[in-house]
């Protein structure tokens, strides 16, 4: 594997090699997983053995990958532990190899979505083998599994759009919007860059999870808050230009239009039957993004300075993980502190900070645990308090439980948080 030559701090020639260079290709398994599953089902059906009856399970390959396979492999594989040296950053940043891996995600994602619509409406899939409903089409349970599998693709597609949406080249920003379209989350392009990155780890940020807030409370708050914020941000930008927000120059509207055109085209080709499934996979997809939003800054809060403004975002304001498998599948999203410090930095150059607070496992393992508030709080609440040396007044506490939490952890009133 070819490395990058550089001169180290002692003036000696050295070579740094990205040992994950080939592993990054696994990031493309998610948008191609459906085709892999179909190939395996076809092989199982060829032999007409009892294994053919297991074939329909593979329509659920997305949830199986997300909630079972990736967490197991992530735990077994352990931490990444490798940061590129400063001297190779520019060359690594400019490598087209890493850039094209994110570009290629989109055509595979769209091809998988078309394939989903075909399999939902096909009335004869007996050529695949396995067990099917009368007429040879998919049973309802298989249709649900297929839809959720594409929801996983849409959710991870948002992360790909996140990576590209931070970049300056116009073509990459448009690819980002297209990647967000299947999940109906085009406004994320605006809110994340100009909203979340400004308000992160503050009570004003809809996408920062609060201490004592369940994921099920956070989900509608973040979805509605982000949508509202993105519209206000674009409305303000266009007002400064003397334009109405009701224009295709509004990046929220043109991003949503991409979803309308995509869903409209698929409905026109495959019929109205596919539309509810398209919506379900989109909703499930953006819920996966929101579960990651919830855990990335849970309970963390930037403190106010003497001027009344919030301190600058620092590594201590993001939860990080350096599990290698999730790093590969989510393009180093887990190195979240460096991302907030350097939003335009490409994924391959993001670094792991030892001083940043660490999650007990990788994002892939923790996404499912966010659904169960008692388990989540048992695992995370004490970590939040330890991060602040037991000072609950420095924590971003959910208003609903603030008085109860302050009383439990030694603060005499909720007013102490405002005074802190």
């Amino acid at each position: 594997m070819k490395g990058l030559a550089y001169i180290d701090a002692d003036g000696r020639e050295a070579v740094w090699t990205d040992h994950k260079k080939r592993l990054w290709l696994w990031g493309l398994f998610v948008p191609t997983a459906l085709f892999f599953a179909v190939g395996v089902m076809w092989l199982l059906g060829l032999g007409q053995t009892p294994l053919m009856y297991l074939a329909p399970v593979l329509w659920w390959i997305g949830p199986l990958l997300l909630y079972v396979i990736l967490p197991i492999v992530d735990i077994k594989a352990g931490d990444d532990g490798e940061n590129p040296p400063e001297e190779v950053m520019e060359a690594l940043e400019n490598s087209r190899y890493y850039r094209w891996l994110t570009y290629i995600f989109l055509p595979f994602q769209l091809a998988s979505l078309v394939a989903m619509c075909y399999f939902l409406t096909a009335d004869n899939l007996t050529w695949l083998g396995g067990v099917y409903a009368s007429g040879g089409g998919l049973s309802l349970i298989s249709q649900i599994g297929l839809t959720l599998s594409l929801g996983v693709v849409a959710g991870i597609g948002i992360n790909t759009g996140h990576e590209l949406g931070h970049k300056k080249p116009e073509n990459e920003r448009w690819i980002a919007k297209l990647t967000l379209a299947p999940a109906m989350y085009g406004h994320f392009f605006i809110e994340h860059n100009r909203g979340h990155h400004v308000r992160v780890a503050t009570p004003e940020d809809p996408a920062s999870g609060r201490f004592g807030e369940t994921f099920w409370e956070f989900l509608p708050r973040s979805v509605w808050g982000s949508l509202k914020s993105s519209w206000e941000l674009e409305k303000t930008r266009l007002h400064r230009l003397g334009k109405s927000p009701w224009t295709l120059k509004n990046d929220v509207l043109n991003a949503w239009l991409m979803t309308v055109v995509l869903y409209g085209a698929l409905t026109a080709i495959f019929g109205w039957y596919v539309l509810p499934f398209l919506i379900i996979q989109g909703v499930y997809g953006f819920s996966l993004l929101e579960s990651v939003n919830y855990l990335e800054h849970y309970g963390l809060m930037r403190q106010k300075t003497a001027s009344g403004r919030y301190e600058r975002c620092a590594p201590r304001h993001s939860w990080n993980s350096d599990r290698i498998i999730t790093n590969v599948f989510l393009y180093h999203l887990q190195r979240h502190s460096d991302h907030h410090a350097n939003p335009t930095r490409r994924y391959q150059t993001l670094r792991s900070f030892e001083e940043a607070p660490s999650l007990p496992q990788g994002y892939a393992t923790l996404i499912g645990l966010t659904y169960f508030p008692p388990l989540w709080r048992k695992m995370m609440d004490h970590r939040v308090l330890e991060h602040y040396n037991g000072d609950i007044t420095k924590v971003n506490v959910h208003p609903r439980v603030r008085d109860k939490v302050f009383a439990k952890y030694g603060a005499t009133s909720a007013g102490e948080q405002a005074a802190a």
Side-chain angles (χ1 to χ4, degrees):
M1 188 181 300
K2 188 177 179 181
L4 295 172
Y6 68 98
I7 305 299
D8 66 19
D10 297 322
R12 295 175 297 188
E13 292 185 359
V15 175
W16 180 82
T17 300
D18 180 6
H19 295 292
K20 297 195 298 290
K21 189 168 185 178
R22 292 195 180 97
L23 282 179
W24 291 115
L25 289 166
W26 278 100
L28 296 175
F29 181 76
V30 172
T32 58
L34 175 59
F35 302 110
F36 169 81
V38 168
V40 173
M41 283 187 273
W42 178 74
L43 290 173
L44 291 175
L46 282 180
Q48 295 294 307
T49 67
L51 287 176
M52 66 182 283
Y53 294 100
L54 296 176
V57 174
L58 290 171
W59 295 114
W60 291 79
I61 190 168
L64 285 171
L65 183 67
L66 179 65
Y67 298 120
V68 180
I69 298 171
L70 279 181
I72 292 173
V73 177
D74 211 30
I75 292 170
K76 292 289 185 182
D79 287 339
D80 187 336
E82 183 178 53
N83 284 335
E86 192 64 37
E87 292 84 356
V88 304
M89 284 292 197
E90 184 177 356
L92 189 61
E93 182 88 7
N94 293 328
S95 172
R96 294 185 179 181
Y97 168 79
Y98 300 93
R99 199 171 303 186
W100 275 98
L101 289 180
T102 55
Y103 296 172
I104 294 170
F105 190 101
L106 176 61
F108 285 139
Q109 179 185 14
L110 295 178
S112 293
L113 200 61
V114 172
M116 180 192 86
C117 293
Y118 163 73
F119 287 120
L120 286 172
T121 55
D123 57 8
N124 188 354
L125 294 174
T126 54
W127 57 274
L128 279 178
V131 181
Y132 298 99
S134 59
L138 289 184
S139 65
L140 180 59
I141 192 70
S142 292
Q143 290 181 340
I144 294 171
L146 172 61
T147 303
L148 295 183
S149 291
L150 265 293
V152 172
V153 177
I156 295 182
I158 295 177
N159 180 58
T160 307
H162 163 260
E163 166 66 21
L164 294 170
H166 275 292
K167 305 305 176 282
K168 295 179 181 178
E170 192 67 20
N171 67 310
E172 297 192 50
R173 296 165 74 85
W174 278 99
I175 293 173
K177 291 183 190 179
L178 288 168
T179 309
L180 297 170
M184 308 182 295
Y185 234 52
H187 60 280
F188 174 82
F189 173 81
I190 298 300
E191 161 56 21
H192 180 81
N193 290 19
R194 287 157 47 196
H196 173 67
H197 271 261
V198 174
R199 298 181 296 241
V200 61
T202 70
E204 291 78 22
D205 182 29
S208 291
R210 298 166 177 168
F211 186 93
E213 179 181 33
T214 71
F215 169 70
W216 305 109
E217 291 175 295
F218 171 82
L219 179 60
R221 180 174 73 85
S222 185
V223 171
W224 174 248
S226 297
L227 191 156
K228 182 180 177 182
S229 173
S230 65
W231 182 260
E232 290 298 324
L233 287 166
E234 272 301 89
K235 182 179 177 181
T236 300
R237 181 182 72 86
L238 291 166
H239 178 73
R240 289 171 180 165
L241 297 174
K243 298 181 182 294
S244 164
W246 300 102
T247 170
L248 286 181
K249 293 186 181 297
N250 183 326
D251 282 330
V252 173
L253 290 181
N254 61 51
W256 285 348
L257 182 60
M258 292 179 184
T259 297
V260 172
V261 171
L262 175 63
Y263 281 22
L266 291 172
T267 301
I269 295 169
F270 295 100
W272 287 101
Y273 185 77
V274 303
L275 185 57
F277 295 96
L278 287 170
I279 294 172
I280 291 169
Q281 66 85 35
V283 171
Y284 178 54
F286 72 65
S287 77
L288 294 177
L289 162 78
E290 295 298 355
S291 67
V292 172
N293 276 340
Y294 174 71
L295 64 85
E296 284 174 334
H297 306 281
Y298 177 76
L300 303 179
M301 188 165 72
R302 290 152 56 195
Q303 308 304 308
K304 286 189 175 180
T305 64
S307 67
R309 295 184 177 184
Y310 287 108
E311 63 183 326
R312 290 176 63 89
C313 185
R316 62 182 176 274
H317 299 125
S318 301
W319 290 104
N320 291 254
S321 175
D322 206 26
R323 294 287 177 171
I324 188 168
I325 299 302
T326 309
N327 270 353
V328 168
F329 276 84
L330 294 183
Y331 301 121
H332 271 161
L333 182 66
Q334 299 180 126
R335 295 183 170 186
H336 209 60
S337 290
D338 197 13
H339 168 67
H340 272 279
N342 302 282
T344 61
R345 178 171 285 173
R346 294 188 183 273
Y347 68 94
Q348 66 270 21
T349 58
L350 291 175
R351 301 157 298 172
S352 178
F353 291 145
E354 290 185 5
E355 64 269 30
S358 294
L359 293 165
Q361 294 293 339
Y363 286 10
T365 306
L366 299 178
I367 286 173
L369 289 180
T370 65
Y371 304 158
F372 303 97
L375 292 177
W376 175 257
R377 294 198 63 188
K378 184 176 181 180
M379 179 179 62
M380 287 300 300
D381 282 8
H382 71 92
R383 287 182 164 86
V384 175
L385 284 167
E386 289 165 5
H387 180 60
Y388 289 108
N389 296 315
D391 188 352
I392 191 64
T393 65
K394 293 184 176 180
V395 176
N396 185 7
V397 180
H398 190 45
R400 179 181 61 80
V401 298
R402 185 172 291 155
D403 287 334
K404 182 179 178 181
V405 166
F406 273 47
K408 179 179 179 180
Y409 293 108
T412 57
S413 71
E416 287 195 21
Q417 187 172 39

